[in-house]
Amino acid sequence: MKKMYQEFLAGVDKDFLRENAIKLMQIEQKQTSAAQYKACEFVRDLMIENGIPNVELLEFPADGKTVYQDKRMPIAWDASVGKLTIMGNAPAWTPYWGDGAGGEGVLADYQRHPFHLIHGSVSTPPEGIITRIITEDQYLAGTDPRGCLVMLNPMTDPRPRVLKPILDQGGLGVVSDYLVGRYSTPDHLQWVVACTEAGDWHVTAQDRPFIGFSVSPKVGDMIRKTNGCKVKVECDGHRYEGVLPMVTALIPGKSEKEVWIMAHLFEPMLNDDAIGVITGIEIAKQLLKKGGTPDYSIRLVFAMEFYGFAAYAAYRGNDLNGKVAGACNLDNICCVTGDIDLKLSPSGCDPSLCNVILKEMYDEFKDSRRLLYATKEYHDDQSLSDKAVGVPTTWLMGGKSGGLWHNSRQCEPDFINWDLLHENAAFACVYFYRMANGANVVVPEQKLELKDLHSPWRDYAAKFVFARKEPGFPYSQAKVPAYAKIPLPDGVIYGPFGNILSNMDGKKNVATLILEAEAERGFDLKEGQVKKVLNALNHLADYGYLDVIERPALTQEDLVAALKQAGITQDDVLLVHASISKCGYIQGGAETVINAIREASDTCLFTTFTRPYIYLGGVNSGWNYQPHDPANPDQVWTGTIGKTVLRNYPDAIRSRHVTHSWAGFGSKAHACLDAHEPCDTPTGKNSPLEKALELNGKILFFGTGLEPSTFLHYLEDIADVPYLDTAICRVKTETGDLKTVAIEKHLPGDREFYWEPAENSVFYRKAFERGLKVTKVPLGMNFIQVIDLQELYRIGLELVREDPLILLCEKPDCLFCSRFRK
């Protein structure tokens, strides 16, 4: 192979690589759908000019709605104007990224560099909009963002967790100076991707209008120093239903079985990924020049990363089954500095030709080239390795010692080591030649060495068997209502969850699939990770992504029986804390739990707490802040049960408190909930906690430990402990305005009982010594626990009055608790 490498090295045209990669990148840089189509036309014509046969330009919908293999396609977008200008007296030193000719006060200009305008931004009136830029710190401190742009902090990546709350509150959009490599390239720009609401990589029809700008770190620092500058925003961006193109070609071989040369289009940097596409074309040129008919046909596939590949695989459909011997992705092929990561295709017990040849290449070249033999991954452009799709894919990726990530520095020709690219293109030529002529290569049968691991959740997982219903990894969760989507482990493709899904065959139980994934990835999952995997698989099965072959389930009858065994009666008033995921699979989920509790008791109250804080023991700095809006159940942070009560049960009533509301049902619900005014102390007089105590109520811990013991805060309030503080909150009014409210005797800081297991906290240990009883009944993988409120009040108040700091933690590094323990 080394001799073949030298032959290819002599043949690879370095000038072709350089000139055409730059041309392609310059077309793609505009990011628009029109530019994407021109890029495909350029690639198509270049392939035809260089003698590559059977070239096709295919089109798929870019309507933001169509779904291929659970990847929701982007919506088409075009723009030519995107400008941000400071009004009034701009600072004399206003820097501008680019050629220095931006003009006084110009902070961003799409026409100067397209990365300035965030993809998907919508239009202003032709004359523009005059508005303010407020900083992230101002926004999180409660400044009304309506109609404003929010200047994000330097390390805040403009992703869904940022964009969604800003739009929820009427913000116009964002300005971002987040930059990978900000300290080495402070005058450059980030190419912003995935500035969306749902977590897709591209704006879809579900995303609300916004306008966003990417600026250099120097400009970002200047904006923050102006402390609320007035700006003019101009943009003509528009979204529409268009087409998403791709290019493919086929060099016929002796067999219809194919080897794929893959690289993605439309990421507008040189090494991410114009170079990958042009290198793929150069490889095809060299393989044609080599002459002869290869054993396998050679397929070139150039499409949008992830989404375009999924669309093409869906287009091929059953034609792919057993049709692809192997593929290799050239995205970010090593062309800057450092090592080549040889990323294997995950193959489990069924190794692929592409892995076998890659191992041969490693053994042959490891002494002469800097090669890293990486793990078996699915990752972005290896996701078609999913056995349900059938395209085992390796990846020749640039190593970790260079390359940046979505930085405009990657657009500059001198950033690339063209000699290194030349060498690695020749290396790739050898690899593809060996694969295309690999009909006689023996692909040995392998067996993974599985560990003998057992634990409660692993043994429980052994009772579940699922089968895939359709090809392609679930990603957009297009079948799932927006409010019911959950984060899937590892982002599906970035860890062992992809291996688990791919190896699923309707026969292996989940515990075995986990062991196989661990053997492939080289590390063991912790117990909490096993639980998350199983819960995610059940979620996917409930929404139609998986067929259920075997699945034990808790029913409403099981729950009611356990509640009655724990002593719950119809006369009880229950304060409920629930964590249904810790119990195992419950048929019907949250609604089943709610219905069972309602069946067992007359009056049941559920936590519907929210986080509208702009001050609570310190100025807010978290993106979980949103002004209190009782019409929005998604603001509830205390679990699925409370959200479900508000969303699905019109007969539920809810207290009006700004931060610590409860919602529930029953003949005594009004008596518990009505007296709690919006700005009362959260857990004191007039709260549902006091009313439930007066009615001889109980606390029900459904599937949880004793950590969510909100009633202990009632004891703090009654005992007037010294560490309670005033909280400052923002509240959305009926007119949509924001008002600021103060809530006294609020609950800042840490508590020892917050941390598992709460039973080991000083408070509970002493309470047990004084006779506090907890009724504990097994339920699935966990327990139902019940505490009598009168007993907890009597014993607990004694303890808190004896030691007002008993509920604080004793960790020396806890800044809050240690301050009061001095």
Side-chain angles (χ1 to χ4, degrees):
M1 284 192 285
K2 287 184 177 178
K3 180 180 179 182
M4 188 185 302
Y5 168 74
Q6 292 298 328
E7 293 173 357
F8 279 124
L9 188 65
V12 167
D13 188 340
K14 184 167 68 172
D15 291 336
F16 178 89
L17 293 174
R18 177 187 174 98
E19 291 170 9
N20 289 292
I22 292 171
K23 288 179 182 177
L24 178 57
M25 181 269 297
Q26 289 172 340
I27 296 170
E28 292 182 311
Q29 222 175 46
K30 291 185 177 180
Q31 311 171 61
T32 64
S33 295
Q36 291 174 355
Y37 208 93
K38 288 180 180 177
C40 281
E41 290 178 323
F42 172 80
V43 170
R44 176 199 61 193
D45 294 346
L46 189 64
M47 293 165 74
I48 293 172
E49 289 169 12
N50 284 275
I52 298 173
N54 303 306
V55 179
E56 295 180 275
L57 193 157
L58 303 177
E59 298 177 356
F60 300 99
D63 55 7
K65 301 173 185 176
T66 301
V67 176
Y68 296 107
Q69 297 188 350
D70 201 50
K71 285 80 177 172
R72 193 184 303 277
M73 292 298 105
I75 194 165
W77 177 78
D78 281 318
S80 61
V81 175
K83 195 171 184 180
L84 185 64
T85 309
I86 284 186
M87 303 299 291
N89 295 322
W93 59 276
T94 300
Y96 185 89
W97 189 90
D99 59 11
E104 184 178 0
V106 176
L107 305 174
D109 189 348
Y110 174 82
Q111 294 184 0
R112 285 293 185 182
H113 197 293
F115 286 11
H116 272 302
L117 185 63
I118 293 178
H119 185 277
S121 292
V122 298
S123 63
T124 64
E127 67 276 12
I129 294 173
I130 306 299
T131 187
R132 285 191 309 138
I133 296 180
I134 64 172
T135 66
E136 176 179 321
D137 292 340
Q138 289 172 322
Y139 164 76
L140 294 176
T143 300
D144 190 342
R146 284 183 295 175
C148 297
L149 291 170
V150 178
M151 178 71 232
L152 304 178
N153 285 343
M155 306 312 287
T156 300
D157 196 354
R159 295 278 183 142
R161 73 180 185 95
V162 169
L163 183 63
K164 187 178 185 304
I166 290 173
L167 297 184
D168 285 345
Q169 295 172 55
L172 179 64
V174 298
V175 182
S176 171
D177 66 341
Y178 175 85
L179 182 67
V180 177
R182 68 182 297 110
Y183 301 113
S184 58
T185 59
D187 290 318
H188 283 263
L189 303 170
Q190 186 79 5
W191 178 61
V192 175
V193 66
C195 187
T196 63
E197 294 188 68
D200 293 294
W201 294 358
H202 303 278
V203 170
T204 71
Q206 296 179 322
D207 287 284
R208 287 173 289 180
F210 71 86
I211 300 176
F213 294 95
S214 181
V215 298
S216 72
K218 285 185 178 179
V219 171
D221 287 344
M222 184 274 291
I223 292 173
R224 281 184 285 269
K225 288 176 182 177
T226 63
N227 195 30
C229 58
K230 183 182 288 187
V231 291
K232 183 177 183 180
V233 181
E234 300 168 87
C235 184
D236 67 351
H238 65 288
R239 307 170 187 174
Y240 61 97
E241 294 188 4
V243 298
L244 183 71
M246 66 156 293
V247 182
T248 184
L250 184 70
I251 301 172
K254 298 173 184 175
S255 165
E256 289 186 356
K257 208 165 192 177
E258 297 174 358
V259 167
W260 283 19
I261 300 173
M262 298 174 65
H264 69 253
L265 290 157
F266 313 145
E267 293 211 18
M269 284 76 60
L270 282 169
N271 63 325
D272 196 5
D273 189 38
I275 279 173
V277 173
I278 301 305
T279 299
I281 296 173
E282 179 63 20
I283 291 168
K285 283 173 49 186
Q286 296 303 318
L287 296 181
L288 286 168
K289 189 185 297 183
K290 190 81 173 169
T293 302
D295 293 344
Y296 299 127
S297 299
I298 300 169
R299 169 77 62 181
L300 289 85
V301 182
F302 302 134
M304 174 178 276
E305 185 174 20
F306 203 47
Y307 296 86
F309 290 130
Y312 180 65
Y315 166 77
R316 291 286 298 272
N318 292 332
D319 183 42
L320 281 182
N321 291 340
K323 189 72 172 286
V324 182
C328 181
N329 166 41
L330 300 173
D331 172 20
N332 198 15
I333 185 171
C334 187
C335 58
V336 182
T337 63
D339 313 303
I340 306 177
D341 286 344
L342 306 179
K343 292 186 179 293
L344 297 171
S345 169
S347 56
C349 302
D350 183 22
S352 56
L353 174 69
C354 55
N355 280 357
V356 172
I357 301 296
L358 196 62
K359 180 63 165 59
E360 289 181 4
M361 296 283 290
Y362 175 78
D363 291 339
E364 180 81 8
F365 289 93
K366 63 184 178 181
D367 295 330
S368 57
R369 301 196 63 76
R370 294 168 60 183
L371 306 178
L372 298 176
Y373 205 45
T375 56
K376 298 177 179 180
E377 300 180 359
Y378 285 97
H379 232 272
D380 306 357
D381 291 338
Q382 294 176 274
S383 63
L384 298 186
S385 296
D386 176 8
K387 288 180 185 176
V389 178
V391 184
T393 309
T394 55
W395 187 355
L396 304 181
M397 182 184 181
K400 298 177 181 178
S401 57
L404 297 177
W405 189 66
H406 295 169
N407 182 313
S408 60
R409 177 73 176 98
Q410 294 170 253
C411 300
E412 298 173 0
D414 67 344
F415 180 71
I416 304 301
N417 183 331
W418 298 101
D419 291 330
L420 183 61
L421 175 61
H422 180 206
E423 295 169 4
N424 287 320
F427 180 86
C429 285
V430 176
Y431 181 44
F432 280 105
Y433 181 85
R434 290 284 294 119
M435 276 204 293
N437 292 281
N440 295 322
V441 173
V442 176
V443 180
E445 183 177 349
Q446 295 183 1
K447 184 175 178 61
L448 291 169
E449 295 293 329
L450 305 186
K451 296 181 179 180
D452 185 20
L453 299 178
H454 292 275
S455 68
W457 276 95
R458 286 176 185 268
D459 293 343
Y460 182 56
K463 301 176 182 179
F464 291 76
V465 179
F466 300 102
R468 299 285 293 280
K469 291 186 70 171
E470 54 196 37
F473 289 134
Y475 192 82
S476 294
Q477 296 186 58
K479 298 179 181 181
V480 184
Y483 67 82
K485 291 182 181 181
I486 65 171
L488 296 175
D490 315 314
V492 183
I493 57 175
Y494 299 110
F497 192 65
N499 302 63
I500 290 166
L501 285 170
S502 183
N503 291 338
M504 190 176 286
D505 60 359
K507 299 177 182 178
K508 301 171 188 171
N509 64 56
V510 173
T512 299
L513 292 170
I514 290 172
L515 290 172
E516 288 184 349
E518 290 170 325
E520 281 200 295
R521 301 304 294 253
F523 62 88
D524 299 337
L525 299 185
K526 297 178 181 178
E527 185 77 338
Q529 292 173 300
V530 173
K531 169 183 166 292
K532 286 183 178 179
V533 164
L534 186 57
N535 287 338
L537 294 176
N538 279 312
H539 169 79
L540 292 174
D542 286 344
Y543 284 99
Y545 291 98
L546 305 176
D547 274 325
V548 177
I549 309 301
E550 295 179 16
R551 177 165 68 176
L554 293 167
T555 65
Q556 183 170 326
E557 290 74 18
D558 296 327
L559 306 189
V560 172
L563 289 165
K564 290 181 177 179
Q565 186 181 347
I568 301 300
T569 71
Q570 275 295 312
D571 295 331
D572 285 327
V573 174
L574 298 181
L575 298 175
V576 182
H577 298 288
S579 178
I580 59 177
S581 67
K582 293 181 180 179
C583 295
Y585 181 68
I586 298 175
Q587 187 172 351
E591 290 191 14
T592 296
V593 175
I594 295 164
N595 294 340
I597 295 172
R598 293 186 72 179
E599 182 179 338
S601 66
D602 171 70
T603 301
C604 45
L605 308 178
F606 303 88
T607 58
T608 53
F609 301 169
T610 57
R611 287 179 169 135
Y613 308 108
I614 57 175
Y615 178 89
L616 179 61
V619 176
N620 176 58
S621 59
W623 282 97
N624 52 22
Y625 153 77
Q626 280 200 321
H628 178 65
D629 180 1
N632 183 1
D634 289 333
Q635 289 189 353
V636 173
W637 65 267
T638 45
T640 304
I641 294 286
K643 293 179 181 179
T644 303
V645 167
L646 297 180
R647 183 177 286 110
N648 296 354
Y649 290 81
D651 60 328
I653 60 173
R654 185 184 188 186
S655 66
R656 294 177 294 161
H657 198 266
V658 169
T659 64
H660 279 67
S661 66
W662 293 71
F665 318 87
S667 62
K668 299 171 185 175
H670 278 288
C672 293
L673 300 174
D674 288 355
H676 205 199
E677 296 295 330
C679 295
D680 282 346
T681 61
T683 57
K685 297 290 184 181
N686 298 328
S687 76
L689 301 165
E690 177 163 279
K691 301 304 178 183
L693 175 65
E694 292 172 356
L695 294 168
N696 299 313
K698 297 175 180 176
I699 308 176
L700 170 62
F701 298 92
F702 189 101
T704 77
L706 304 183
E707 295 78 41
S709 297
T710 305
F711 188 79
L712 300 190
H713 293 307
Y714 173 73
L715 302 179
E716 293 177 326
D717 187 295
I718 298 302
D720 200 21
V721 296
Y723 48 81
L724 301 183
D725 198 0
T726 299
I728 309 298
C729 302
R730 294 285 264 170
V731 177
K732 187 176 182 180
T733 68
E734 292 182 359
T735 62
D737 293 327
L738 298 181
K739 68 177 182 179
T740 302
V741 299
I743 301 175
E744 295 182 352
K745 298 181 75 172
H746 216 290
L747 314 165
D750 194 12
R751 304 289 189 276
E752 189 179 19
F753 67 86
Y754 289 171
W755 304 97
E756 294 184 349
E759 291 86 337
N760 291 343
S761 68
V762 172
F763 173 86
Y764 271 115
R765 283 190 283 112
K766 290 189 174 183
F768 296 147
E769 291 170 2
R770 297 195 185 188
L772 178 68
K773 294 181 287 295
V774 179
T775 302
K776 192 171 186 178
V777 174
L779 180 66
M781 292 297 291
N782 212 295
F783 300 90
I784 286 175
Q785 301 185 86
V786 179
I787 296 179
D788 180 82
L789 280 177
Q790 289 287 346
E791 188 174 83
L792 180 59
Y793 173 74
R794 177 180 56 79
I795 295 172
L797 193 58
E798 284 180 4
L799 291 172
V800 175
R801 282 181 169 158
E802 289 172 10
D803 178 6
L805 305 182
I806 191 172
L807 293 172
L808 298 184
C809 78
E810 296 182 336
K811 294 179 290 188
D813 59 343
C814 177
L815 297 179
F816 180 84
C817 296
S818 60
R819 176 160 55 96
F820 292 94
R821 290 192 175 280
K822 288 181 180 178

